[in-house]
């Protein structure tokens, strides 16, 4: 059963895989903004999963065919994967399959997507789909530092998001975790995010996800849980 969760903030550092909002920001306007954000991201569901699967498998096959499979080739593998990812997504953009998103391939084949003031930067995670810290680069630190609905008239639709990905060659499965960072941290410290969820691989599943406030002791904004056909068959 697939689910994604948003949680209210505490003053203590959040758990690495649990993201938070401050209690006073849980308003009807915020919920509307988050649902609007979900709608903007919906067209990326299928294409992003297909693109990452294709890019990872193509790069792995290339490295294997030349016997370049040692750890010393890992940086080359990542560059090649990003190159195929950017190329695949750009082709989908030309075919008008990304719902208005514009693909950008930058230095070192860095891949990002832009739609108005909303952006998604594709990054390789640290560990189990955790966000890599920004380091000392001023531009990256600025990208990581934001406040939801603050300092931007666009609100959630003006967010700088990060798409963290993983590919399992044994199962051919792709995982994409969307996060919104709100500051800097050091390696080994908990990531600082106020929003995270796993991007479904279909528009239909994404459209079924909704933010539902829970005003118990630790108010949360969980997505509606979507049962897959396999879950239903297994009862």
């Amino acid at each position: 059963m697939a689910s994604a969760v948003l949680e209210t903030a505490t003053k203590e550092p959040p758990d690495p895989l649990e993201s938070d909002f401050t209690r006073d920001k849980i308003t009807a306007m915020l919920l509307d903004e988050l649902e609007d954000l979900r709608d903007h991201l919906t067209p990326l569901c299928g294409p992003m999963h297909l693109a990452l699967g294709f890019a990872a498998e193509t790069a792995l096959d290339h490295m294997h065919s030349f016997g370049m499979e040692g750890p010393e080739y890992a940086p080359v593998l990542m560059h090649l994967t990003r190159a195929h990812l950017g190329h695949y997504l750009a082709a989908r953009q030309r075919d008008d399959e990304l719902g208005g998103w514009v693909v950008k391939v930058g230095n070192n084949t860095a891949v990002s997507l832009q739609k108005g003031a909303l952006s998604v930067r594709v990054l390789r995670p640290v560990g189990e789909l955790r966000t890599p810290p920004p380091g000392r680069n001023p531009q990256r630190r600025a990208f990581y530092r934001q406040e939801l609905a603050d300092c931007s008239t666009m609100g959630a639709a003006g967010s700088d998001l990060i798409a963290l990905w993983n590919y399992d060659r044994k199962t051919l499965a792709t995982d994409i975790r969307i996060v919104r960072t709100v500051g800097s941290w050091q390696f080994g410290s908990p990531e600082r995010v106020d929003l995270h969820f796993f991007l479904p691989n279909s528009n239909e599943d994404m459209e079924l996800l909704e933010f539902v406030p829970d005003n118990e002791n630790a108010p949360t904004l969980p997505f509606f849980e979507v049962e897959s056909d396999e879950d239903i068959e297994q009862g």
Side-chain angles (χ1 to χ4, degrees):
M1 184 176 293
S3 64
V5 179
L6 301 166
E7 296 188 359
T8 53
T10 63
K11 294 184 179 180
E12 297 297 323
D15 181 271
L17 288 183
E18 295 194 1
S19 26
D20 312 277
F21 288 109
T22 54
R23 192 180 300 260
D24 60 353
K25 289 182 180 177
I26 303 179
T27 63
M29 181 180 294
L30 179 56
L31 289 174
D32 289 343
E33 289 181 1
L34 292 171
E35 290 177 355
D36 184 50
L37 180 65
R38 175 205 60 194
D39 294 342
H40 282 304
L41 291 168
T42 296
L44 296 181
C45 291
M48 282 288 287
H49 280 275
L50 289 172
L52 283 168
F54 169 82
E57 192 66 20
T58 302
L60 285 165
D61 284 345
H62 174 87
M63 302 299 283
H64 176 71
S65 66
F66 287 94
M68 297 185 294
E69 298 178 285
E72 66 273 19
Y73 295 110
V76 179
L77 176 62
M78 289 301 102
H79 279 284
L80 190 56
T81 302
R82 289 197 300 265
H84 282 294
L85 172 64
H87 185 265
Y88 185 103
L89 288 173
R92 302 291 77 76
Q93 179 192 327
R94 289 192 296 272
D95 292 339
D96 197 25
E97 297 178 8
L98 298 184
W101 285 88
V102 176
V103 180
K104 299 180 180 180
V105 180
N107 295 333
N108 296 319
T109 64
V111 178
S112 63
L113 300 98
Q114 191 83 29
K115 185 178 183 182
L118 182 62
S119 68
V120 177
R121 182 176 296 185
V122 183
L123 293 180
R124 184 69 168 166
V126 174
E128 298 179 357
L129 289 174
R130 294 189 173 116
T131 315
R136 297 182 179 181
N137 183 290
Q139 291 183 334
R140 178 172 285 198
R141 291 174 73 89
F143 185 92
Y144 273 50
R145 187 175 58 250
Q146 56 190 325
E147 290 291 337
L148 187 60
D150 289 347
C151 305
S152 172
T153 58
M154 297 298 295
S159 298
D160 293 324
L161 305 175
I162 294 173
L164 304 163
W165 65 276
N166 184 58
Y167 176 71
D168 187 331
R169 197 172 195 187
K170 292 182 179 179
T171 63
L172 305 182
T174 54
D175 294 311
I176 303 173
R177 179 175 176 246
I178 303 294
V179 303
R180 186 179 183 283
T181 56
V182 288
S184 301
W185 65 92
Q186 302 296 322
F187 276 103
S189 299
E191 62 183 6
R192 297 183 62 187
V193 300
D194 67 358
L195 162 65
H196 81 82
F197 59 91
F198 284 88
L199 190 73
N201 60 12
S202 73
N203 291 7
E204 292 76 16
D205 282 352
M206 186 68 162
E207 289 168 358
L208 289 174
L209 297 176
E210 60 182 9
F211 299 92
V212 181
D214 180 355
N215 295 317
E216 295 181 358
N217 294 332
T220 62
L221 298 175
F223 280 99
F224 177 77
E225 293 188 343
V226 180
E227 291 187 336
S228 66
D229 292 339
E230 181 180 356
D231 293 327
I232 295 173
E233 290 174 2
Q234 292 178 353

